[in-house]
Coordinates of all heavy atoms in Angstrom, one line a residue:
M168 N 0.9 -1.2 0.0 CA 0.0 0.0 0.0 C 0.9 1.2 0.0 O 1.8 1.3 0.7 CB -0.9 0.0 1.2 CG -2.0 -0.9 1.2 SD -2.9 -0.6 2.7 CE -4.5 -1.0 2.2
S169 N 0.5 2.2 -0.8 CA 1.2 3.4 -0.8 C 0.7 4.4 0.3 O -0.4 4.3 0.7 CB 1.1 4.1 -2.2 OG -0.2 4.5 -2.4
R170 N 1.6 5.2 0.8 CA 1.2 6.2 1.8 C 0.7 7.4 1.2 O 1.3 8.0 0.3 CB 2.4 6.4 2.7 CG 2.2 5.9 4.1 CD 3.3 6.4 5.0 NE 2.8 7.6 5.6 CZ 3.5 8.3 6.4 NH1 4.7 8.0 6.7 NH2 2.9 9.3 7.0
V171 N -0.4 8.0 1.7 CA -0.9 9.3 1.3 C -0.1 10.3 2.1 O 0.0 10.3 3.3 CB -2.4 9.4 1.6 CG1 -2.9 10.8 1.3 CG2 -3.2 8.3 0.9
P172 N 0.5 11.2 1.4 CA 1.3 12.3 2.1 C 0.4 13.1 2.9 O -0.8 13.4 2.5 CB 2.0 13.1 0.9 CG 1.2 12.8 -0.3 CD 0.5 11.4 -0.1
E173 N 0.9 13.6 4.1 CA 0.1 14.5 4.9 C 0.0 15.8 4.3 O 0.9 16.3 3.6 CB 0.8 14.6 6.3 CG 0.7 13.3 7.1 CD 1.3 13.5 8.5 OE1 1.2 14.6 9.0 OE2 1.8 12.5 9.0
K174 N -1.1 16.5 4.5 CA -1.3 17.8 4.0 C -0.4 18.8 4.8 O -0.3 18.6 6.0 CB -2.8 18.3 4.1 CG -3.7 17.6 3.3 CD -5.1 18.1 3.5 CE -6.1 17.4 2.6 NZ -7.5 17.9 2.8
P175 N 0.2 19.8 4.2 CA 1.0 20.7 4.9 C 0.0 21.6 5.8 O -1.2 21.7 5.5 CB 1.6 21.6 3.8 CG 0.9 21.4 2.6 CD 0.2 20.0 2.7
S176 N 0.6 22.1 6.9 CA -0.3 22.9 7.8 C -0.6 24.2 7.1 O 0.1 24.7 6.3 CB 0.4 23.2 9.1 OG 1.6 23.9 8.8
R177 N -1.8 24.7 7.4 CA -2.3 25.9 6.7 C -1.9 27.1 7.6 O -1.8 27.0 8.8 CB -3.9 25.8 6.6 CG -4.3 24.6 5.8 CD -5.7 24.5 5.6 NE -6.3 25.6 4.8 CZ -6.2 25.6 3.4 NH1 -5.6 24.7 2.8 NH2 -6.8 26.6 2.8
P178 N -1.6 28.2 6.9 CA -1.3 29.4 7.6 C -2.4 29.9 8.6 O -3.6 29.6 8.3 CB -1.0 30.5 6.5 CG -0.8 29.7 5.3 CD -1.6 28.4 5.5
P179 N -2.1 30.5 9.7 CA -3.1 31.0 10.6 C -4.1 31.9 9.9 O -3.7 32.7 9.1 CB -2.4 31.7 11.7 CG -1.0 31.2 11.6 CD -0.7 30.8 10.2
G180 N -5.4 31.7 10.2 CA -6.4 32.5 9.6 C -6.9 32.0 8.2 O -8.0 32.5 7.8
M181 N -6.2 31.1 7.6 CA -6.7 30.6 6.3 C -7.7 29.5 6.6 O -7.5 28.6 7.3 CB -5.5 30.0 5.5 CG -5.9 29.5 4.2 SD -4.4 29.0 3.3 CE -4.5 30.0 1.8
P182 N -8.9 29.7 5.9 CA -10.0 28.7 6.1 C -9.6 27.3 5.7 O -8.8 27.1 4.7 CB -11.1 29.2 5.4 CG -10.6 30.1 4.3 CD -9.3 30.7 4.9
E183 N -10.1 26.3 6.4 CA -9.8 24.9 6.0 C -10.6 24.6 4.7 O -11.6 25.1 4.4 CB -10.3 23.9 7.1 CG -9.5 24.0 8.3 CD -8.1 23.5 8.1 OE1 -7.9 22.5 7.4 OE2 -7.2 24.2 8.7
E184 N -10.0 23.7 3.9 CA -10.7 23.2 2.7 C -11.8 22.3 3.1 O -11.6 21.5 4.0 CB -9.7 22.5 1.8 CG -8.6 23.3 1.2 CD -7.7 22.6 0.3 OE1 -8.0 21.5 -0.1 OE2 -6.6 23.0 0.1
P185 N -13.0 22.4 2.4 CA -14.1 21.5 2.8 C -13.8 20.1 2.4 O -13.0 19.8 1.5 CB -15.3 22.1 2.0 CG -14.6 22.8 0.9 CD -13.3 23.3 1.4
E186 N -14.3 19.2 3.2 CA -14.1 17.7 2.9 C -14.9 17.4 1.6 O -16.0 18.0 1.4 CB -14.7 16.9 4.0 CG -13.9 16.9 5.3 CD -12.5 16.3 5.1 OE1 -12.4 15.3 4.5 OE2 -11.5 16.9 5.6
P187 N -14.3 16.6 0.8 CA -15.0 16.3 -0.5 C -16.2 15.5 -0.2 O -16.3 14.7 0.7 CB -13.9 15.5 -1.3 CG -13.0 14.9 -0.3 CD -13.0 15.9 0.9
E188 N -17.3 15.7 -1.0 CA -18.5 14.9 -1.0 C -18.4 13.6 -1.7 O -17.7 13.6 -2.8 CB -19.6 15.8 -1.6 CG -20.0 17.0 -0.9 CD -20.7 16.7 0.4 OE1 -21.5 15.8 0.5 OE2 -20.4 17.4 1.4
P189 N -19.0 12.5 -1.2 CA -19.0 11.3 -2.0 C -19.6 11.4 -3.3 O -20.5 12.2 -3.6 CB -19.8 10.3 -1.1 CG -19.7 10.9 0.3 CD -19.7 12.4 0.1
V190 N -19.0 10.7 -4.3 CA -19.5 10.7 -5.7 C -20.2 9.4 -6.0 O -20.6 9.1 -7.1 CB -18.4 10.9 -6.7 CG1 -17.9 12.3 -6.6 CG2 -17.3 9.9 -6.6
G191 N -20.4 8.5 -5.0 CA -21.0 7.3 -5.1 C -20.9 6.4 -3.9 O -20.4 6.8 -2.9
S192 N -21.2 5.1 -4.1 CA -21.1 4.1 -3.1 C -20.4 2.8 -3.6 O -20.5 2.6 -4.9 CB -22.4 3.7 -2.5 OG -23.3 3.1 -3.4
A193 N -19.7 2.1 -2.8 CA -19.1 0.9 -3.2 C -19.6 -0.3 -2.3 O -19.8 -0.1 -1.1 CB -17.6 1.0 -3.0
H194 N -19.7 -1.4 -2.9 CA -20.1 -2.6 -2.2 C -19.0 -3.7 -2.5 O -18.7 -3.9 -3.7 CB -21.4 -3.1 -2.7 CG -21.9 -4.4 -2.1 ND1 -21.9 -4.7 -0.8 CD2 -22.3 -5.6 -2.8 CE1 -22.3 -6.0 -0.6 NE2 -22.5 -6.5 -1.8
L195 N -18.5 -4.3 -1.5 CA -17.5 -5.4 -1.6 C -18.3 -6.7 -1.5 O -18.7 -7.1 -0.4 CB -16.4 -5.3 -0.6 CG -15.3 -6.4 -0.7 CD1 -14.7 -6.5 -2.1 CD2 -14.3 -6.2 0.4
R196 N -18.6 -7.4 -2.6 CA -19.3 -8.6 -2.6 C -18.5 -9.7 -1.8 O -17.3 -9.6 -1.7 CB -19.7 -9.1 -4.0 CG -20.6 -8.1 -4.7 CD -21.1 -8.5 -6.0 NE -20.4 -9.5 -6.7 CZ -20.5 -9.8 -8.0 NH1 -21.3 -9.0 -8.8 NH2 -19.8 -10.7 -8.6
L197 N -19.2 -10.7 -1.4 CA -18.6 -11.8 -0.7 C -17.5 -12.5 -1.5 O -16.6 -13.1 -1.0 CB -19.7 -12.8 -0.2 CG -20.6 -12.2 0.9 CD1 -21.7 -13.3 1.2 CD2 -19.9 -11.7 2.1
D198 N -17.7 -12.5 -2.9 CA -16.7 -13.1 -3.8 C -15.5 -12.2 -4.1 O -14.7 -12.6 -4.9 CB -17.4 -13.6 -5.0 CG -18.0 -12.5 -5.9 OD1 -17.9 -11.3 -5.5 OD2 -18.6 -12.8 -6.9
G199 N -15.5 -11.0 -3.4 CA -14.3 -10.1 -3.6 C -14.5 -9.1 -4.7 O -13.7 -8.2 -4.9
V200 N -15.6 -9.2 -5.5 CA -15.8 -8.3 -6.5 C -16.4 -7.0 -6.0 O -17.2 -6.9 -5.1 CB -16.9 -8.9 -7.5 CG1 -17.3 -7.9 -8.6 CG2 -16.3 -10.1 -8.2
L201 N -15.8 -5.9 -6.5 CA -16.3 -4.5 -6.1 C -17.3 -4.0 -7.1 O -17.2 -4.2 -8.3 CB -15.1 -3.5 -6.2 CG -14.1 -3.6 -5.1 CD1 -12.8 -2.8 -5.5 CD2 -14.7 -3.1 -3.8
E202 N -18.4 -3.5 -6.5 CA -19.4 -2.8 -7.3 C -19.4 -1.3 -6.9 O -19.6 -1.0 -5.8 CB -20.8 -3.4 -7.0 CG -21.0 -4.8 -7.5 CD -22.4 -5.3 -7.2 OE1 -23.3 -4.5 -6.7 OE2 -22.7 -6.4 -7.4
L203 N -19.1 -0.5 -7.8 CA -19.1 1.0 -7.6 C -20.2 1.6 -8.4 O -20.3 1.5 -9.6 CB -17.8 1.6 -8.1 CG -16.6 1.5 -7.1 CD1 -16.1 0.1 -6.9 CD2 -15.5 2.4 -7.6
R204 N -21.1 2.3 -7.6 CA -22.2 3.0 -8.2 C -21.9 4.5 -8.1 O -21.7 5.0 -7.0 CB -23.5 2.7 -7.6 CG -23.9 1.2 -7.7 CD -25.2 0.9 -7.0 NE -25.4 -0.6 -7.1 CZ -26.0 -1.2 -8.1 NH1 -26.4 -0.5 -9.1 NH2 -26.1 -2.5 -8.1
M205 N -21.7 5.1 -9.2 CA -21.1 6.5 -9.2 C -22.1 7.4 -10.0 O -22.8 7.0 -10.9 CB -19.8 6.5 -9.9 CG -18.8 5.4 -9.5 SD -17.7 5.9 -8.3 CE -16.5 6.8 -9.3
G206 N -22.1 8.7 -9.6 CA -23.0 9.7 -10.2 C -22.3 11.0 -10.4 O -21.3 11.3 -9.6
A207 N -22.7 11.8 -11.3 CA -22.1 13.1 -11.5 C -23.2 14.0 -12.1 O -24.1 13.5 -12.8 CB -20.9 13.1 -12.4
S208 N -23.1 15.3 -11.9 CA -24.0 16.3 -12.5 C -23.2 17.5 -12.8 O -22.1 17.8 -12.3 CB -25.2 16.6 -11.6 OG -24.7 17.2 -10.4
A209 N -23.8 18.3 -13.8 CA -23.1 19.5 -14.2 C -24.2 20.5 -14.5 O -25.4 20.2 -14.6 CB -22.3 19.3 -15.4
R210 N -23.8 21.7 -14.7 CA -24.8 22.8 -15.1 C -25.6 22.4 -16.3 O -25.1 21.6 -17.2 CB -24.0 24.1 -15.4 CG -23.5 24.7 -14.1 CD -22.8 26.0 -14.5 NE -21.8 26.2 -13.5 CZ -20.8 27.2 -13.7 NH1 -20.8 27.9 -14.7 NH2 -19.9 27.3 -12.8
G211 N -26.8 23.0 -16.4 CA -27.6 22.7 -17.6 C -28.4 21.4 -17.5 O -28.9 20.9 -18.5
G212 N -28.5 20.8 -16.3 CA -29.3 19.6 -16.1 C -28.6 18.3 -16.6 O -29.2 17.3 -16.7
I213 N -27.3 18.4 -16.8 CA -26.5 17.2 -17.2 C -26.4 16.3 -16.0 O -25.9 16.7 -14.9 CB -25.2 17.6 -17.8 CG1 -25.3 18.5 -19.0 CG2 -24.3 16.3 -18.1 CD1 -24.0 19.0 -19.5
V214 N -26.8 15.0 -16.1 CA -26.7 14.0 -15.1 C -26.2 12.8 -15.6 O -26.6 12.3 -16.7 CB -28.1 13.8 -14.4 CG1 -28.0 12.7 -13.3 CG2 -28.6 15.1 -13.8
G215 N -25.3 12.1 -14.9 CA -24.7 10.8 -15.4 C -24.6 9.8 -14.2 O -24.4 10.2 -13.1
E216 N -24.9 8.6 -14.5 CA -24.7 7.5 -13.5 C -23.9 6.4 -14.2 O -24.0 6.2 -15.4 CB -26.1 7.0 -13.1 CG -26.9 8.0 -12.3 CD -28.2 7.5 -11.8 OE1 -28.5 6.4 -12.1 OE2 -28.8 8.2 -11.1
A217 N -23.2 5.6 -13.4 CA -22.4 4.5 -13.9 C -22.3 3.4 -12.8 O -22.2 3.7 -11.6 CB -21.0 5.0 -14.3
L218 N -22.2 2.2 -13.3 CA -21.9 1.1 -12.5 C -20.6 0.4 -13.0 O -20.6 0.1 -14.1 CB -23.1 0.0 -12.5 CG -22.8 -1.3 -11.9 CD1 -22.6 -1.2 -10.3 CD2 -24.0 -2.3 -12.2
F219 N -19.7 0.3 -12.1 CA -18.4 -0.3 -12.4 C -18.3 -1.6 -11.6 O -18.5 -1.6 -10.4 CB -17.2 0.6 -12.0 CG -17.1 1.8 -12.8 CD1 -17.7 3.0 -12.3 CD2 -16.5 1.9 -14.0 CE1 -17.6 4.2 -13.0 CE2 -16.4 3.0 -14.8 CZ -17.0 4.2 -14.3
I220 N -18.0 -2.7 -12.3 CA -17.8 -4.0 -11.7 C -16.3 -4.3 -11.8 O -15.8 -4.4 -13.0 CB -18.6 -5.1 -12.4 CG1 -20.1 -4.8 -12.4 CG2 -18.3 -6.5 -11.7 CD1 -20.7 -4.8 -11.1
I221 N -15.6 -4.4 -10.7 CA -14.1 -4.6 -10.7 C -13.8 -5.9 -10.0 O -14.0 -6.0 -8.8 CB -13.4 -3.4 -10.1 CG1 -13.8 -2.1 -10.8 CG2 -11.9 -3.6 -10.2 CD1 -13.3 -0.8 -10.2
K222 N -13.3 -6.8 -10.7 CA -13.0 -8.1 -10.2 C -11.5 -8.2 -9.7 O -10.6 -7.5 -10.2 CB -13.1 -9.2 -11.3 CG -14.6 -9.3 -11.8 CD -14.7 -10.3 -12.9 CE -16.1 -10.4 -13.3 NZ -16.3 -11.4 -14.4
P223 N -11.2 -9.0 -8.7 CA -9.9 -9.3 -8.3 C -9.0 -9.6 -9.5 O -9.5 -10.4 -10.4 CB -9.9 -10.4 -7.3 CG -11.3 -10.3 -6.7 CD -12.2 -9.9 -7.9
G224 N -7.8 -9.1 -9.6 CA -7.0 -9.4 -10.8 C -7.1 -8.3 -11.8 O -6.2 -8.1 -12.6
D225 N -8.1 -7.4 -11.8 CA -8.2 -6.3 -12.6 C -7.1 -5.3 -12.3 O -6.8 -5.2 -11.1 CB -9.6 -5.6 -12.4 CG -9.8 -4.4 -13.4 OD1 -9.1 -3.4 -13.2 OD2 -10.7 -4.4 -14.2
A226 N -6.5 -4.6 -13.2 CA -5.4 -3.8 -13.0 C -5.7 -2.6 -12.0 O -4.8 -2.1 -11.3 CB -4.9 -3.2 -14.3
R227 N -7.0 -2.3 -11.9 CA -7.4 -1.2 -11.1 C -7.8 -1.6 -9.7 O -8.0 -0.8 -8.7 CB -8.6 -0.4 -11.6 CG -8.4 0.2 -13.0 CD -9.6 0.6 -13.6 NE -10.5 -0.5 -13.9 CZ -11.7 -0.5 -14.5 NH1 -12.2 0.7 -14.8 NH2 -12.4 -1.6 -14.7
Y228 N -7.9 -2.9 -9.4 CA -8.5 -3.5 -8.2 C -7.8 -3.0 -7.0 O -8.4 -2.4 -6.1 CB -8.6 -5.0 -8.3 CG -9.3 -5.6 -7.1 CD1 -10.7 -5.8 -7.2 CD2 -8.7 -6.1 -6.0 CE1 -11.4 -6.3 -6.2 CE2 -9.4 -6.7 -5.0 CZ -10.8 -6.8 -5.1 OH -11.5 -7.4 -4.1
E229 N -6.5 -3.2 -6.9 CA -5.8 -2.9 -5.6 C -5.8 -1.3 -5.3 O -6.0 -0.9 -4.2 CB -4.4 -3.4 -5.7 CG -4.3 -4.9 -5.6 CD -5.0 -5.5 -4.4 OE1 -4.9 -4.9 -3.3 OE2 -5.6 -6.6 -4.5
S230 N -5.7 -0.5 -6.4 CA -5.7 0.9 -6.1 C -7.0 1.4 -5.7 O -7.2 2.3 -4.9 CB -5.2 1.7 -7.3 OG -6.0 1.5 -8.5
V231 N -8.1 0.8 -6.3 CA -9.5 1.2 -5.9 C -9.7 0.8 -4.4 O -10.2 1.5 -3.6 CB -10.5 0.6 -6.8 CG1 -11.9 0.8 -6.3 CG2 -10.4 1.3 -8.2
R232 N -9.3 -0.5 -4.1 CA -9.5 -0.9 -2.7 C -8.8 0.0 -1.7 O -9.3 0.3 -0.7 CB -8.9 -2.4 -2.5 CG -9.8 -3.5 -3.0 CD -11.1 -3.7 -2.3 NE -11.0 -3.8 -0.9 CZ -10.9 -4.9 -0.2 NH1 -10.8 -6.1 -0.8 NH2 -10.8 -4.9 1.1
E233 N -7.6 0.4 -2.1 CA -6.8 1.3 -1.2 C -7.5 2.7 -1.1 O -7.6 3.2 0.0 CB -5.4 1.5 -1.8 CG -4.5 2.3 -1.0 CD -3.1 2.4 -1.5 OE1 -2.6 1.4 -2.1 OE2 -2.5 3.5 -1.4
H234 N -8.0 3.2 -2.2 CA -8.7 4.4 -2.1 C -10.0 4.4 -1.3 O -10.3 5.3 -0.5 CB -9.1 4.8 -3.6 CG -9.9 6.1 -3.7 ND1 -9.3 7.3 -3.5 CD2 -11.2 6.4 -3.8 CE1 -10.2 8.3 -3.6 NE2 -11.4 7.7 -3.8
L235 N -10.7 3.2 -1.3 CA -11.9 3.1 -0.5 C -11.6 3.0 1.0 O -12.5 3.3 1.8 CB -12.7 1.9 -1.0 CG -13.2 2.0 -2.4 CD1 -13.8 0.7 -2.9 CD2 -14.2 3.1 -2.5
G236 N -10.5 2.4 1.3 CA -10.2 2.2 2.7 C -10.7 0.8 3.2 O -11.2 0.1 2.4
P237 N -10.6 0.5 4.5 CA -11.0 -0.8 5.0 C -12.5 -1.0 4.7 O -13.3 -0.2 5.0 CB -10.7 -0.7 6.5 CG -9.8 0.5 6.7 CD -10.1 1.4 5.5
M238 N -12.7 -2.2 4.2 CA -14.1 -2.7 4.0 C -14.2 -4.2 4.1 O -13.4 -4.9 3.4 CB -14.6 -2.2 2.6 CG -16.0 -2.4 2.3 SD -16.7 -1.7 0.8 CE -15.3 -1.3 -0.2
E239 N -15.0 -4.7 4.9 CA -15.2 -6.1 5.0 C -16.0 -6.7 3.9 O -16.9 -6.0 3.4 CB -16.0 -6.4 6.4 CG -15.2 -6.0 7.6 CD -13.9 -6.9 7.8 OE1 -14.0 -8.1 7.5 OE2 -12.9 -6.3 8.2
P240 N -15.8 -7.9 3.5 CA -16.7 -8.5 2.5 C -18.1 -8.4 2.9 O -18.5 -8.7 4.1 CB -16.2 -10.0 2.4 CG -14.8 -9.9 2.8 CD -14.7 -8.8 3.9
G241 N -19.0 -8.0 2.0 CA -20.4 -7.8 2.2 C -20.7 -6.4 2.7 O -21.8 -6.0 2.8
G242 N -19.6 -5.6 2.9 CA -19.8 -4.2 3.4 C -19.9 -3.2 2.3 O -19.7 -3.4 1.1
Y243 N -20.2 -2.0 2.7 CA -20.4 -0.8 1.8 C -19.5 0.3 2.3 O -19.1 0.4 3.5 CB -21.8 -0.3 1.9 CG -22.8 -1.3 1.2 CD1 -23.3 -2.4 1.9 CD2 -23.2 -1.1 -0.1 CE1 -24.2 -3.3 1.4 CE2 -24.1 -2.0 -0.7 CZ -24.6 -3.1 0.0 OH -25.4 -4.0 -0.5
A244 N -19.1 1.2 1.4 CA -18.3 2.4 1.7 C -18.7 3.5 0.8 O -19.1 3.3 -0.4 CB -16.9 2.1 1.7
P245 N -18.6 4.8 1.2 CA -18.8 5.9 0.3 C -17.6 6.0 -0.6 O -16.5 5.6 -0.3 CB -18.8 7.1 1.2 CG -18.1 6.7 2.4 CD -18.3 5.2 2.6
V246 N -17.8 6.4 -1.8 CA -16.7 6.6 -2.8 C -16.4 8.1 -2.9 O -17.3 8.9 -3.3 CB -17.1 6.1 -4.2 CG1 -15.9 6.4 -5.2 CG2 -17.4 4.6 -4.1
L247 N -15.3 8.5 -2.4 CA -14.8 9.9 -2.6 C -14.2 10.1 -3.9 O -13.8 9.1 -4.5 CB -13.8 10.3 -1.4 CG -14.4 10.2 0.0 CD1 -13.3 10.5 1.0 CD2 -15.6 11.2 0.2
P248 N -14.1 11.3 -4.4 CA -13.5 11.6 -5.7 C -12.1 10.9 -5.8 O -11.4 11.0 -4.8 CB -13.5 13.1 -5.8 CG -14.5 13.6 -4.9 CD -14.6 12.6 -3.8
F249 N -11.8 10.4 -6.9 CA -10.5 9.8 -7.2 C -9.6 10.9 -7.6 O -10.0 11.8 -8.4 CB -10.6 8.7 -8.3 CG -11.2 7.5 -7.8 CD1 -12.5 7.2 -7.9 CD2 -10.4 6.4 -7.4 CE1 -13.1 6.0 -7.5 CE2 -10.9 5.2 -7.0 CZ -12.3 5.0 -7.0
P250 N -8.3 10.9 -7.2 CA -7.3 11.8 -7.8 C -7.3 11.6 -9.3 O -7.5 10.5 -9.8 CB -6.0 11.4 -7.1 CG -6.4 10.6 -5.9 CD -7.7 10.0 -6.2
P251 N -7.0 12.7 -10.0 CA -6.9 12.6 -11.5 C -6.0 11.5 -12.0 O -4.9 11.3 -11.4 CB -6.4 14.0 -11.9 CG -6.9 14.9 -10.8 CD -6.8 14.0 -9.6
G252 N -6.5 10.7 -12.9 CA -5.6 9.6 -13.5 C -5.5 8.3 -12.7 O -4.8 7.5 -13.1
T253 N -6.3 8.2 -11.6 CA -6.1 7.0 -10.8 C -7.2 5.9 -11.1 O -7.1 4.8 -10.5 CB -6.1 7.3 -9.3 OG1 -7.3 7.9 -8.9 CG2 -4.9 8.1 -9.0
F254 N -8.2 6.3 -11.8 CA -9.3 5.3 -12.0 C -9.4 5.0 -13.5 O -9.6 5.2 -14.4 CB -10.6 5.8 -11.4 CG -11.7 4.7 -11.5 CD1 -11.7 3.6 -10.7 CD2 -12.7 4.8 -12.5 CE1 -12.7 2.7 -10.8 CE2 -13.7 3.9 -12.6 CZ -13.7 2.8 -11.7

């Protein structure tokens, strides 16, 4: 697992950055398969939804599991925005 670098301390008086909002939810099936249900919207009424099925052995599997954090088989977790280029 790679380590996420700590954020540098903010100068006094500078407001904190808001926590990112989840962009979907993840379910770790009992067979180890990840189901990611994601959504997005934009100005002008644009709305999109997607379902990603990621099986163990997929090139993205380990990095997605790391991004989601600890999750037991059968469990669920919110999906926070992925850093650019990681999904």
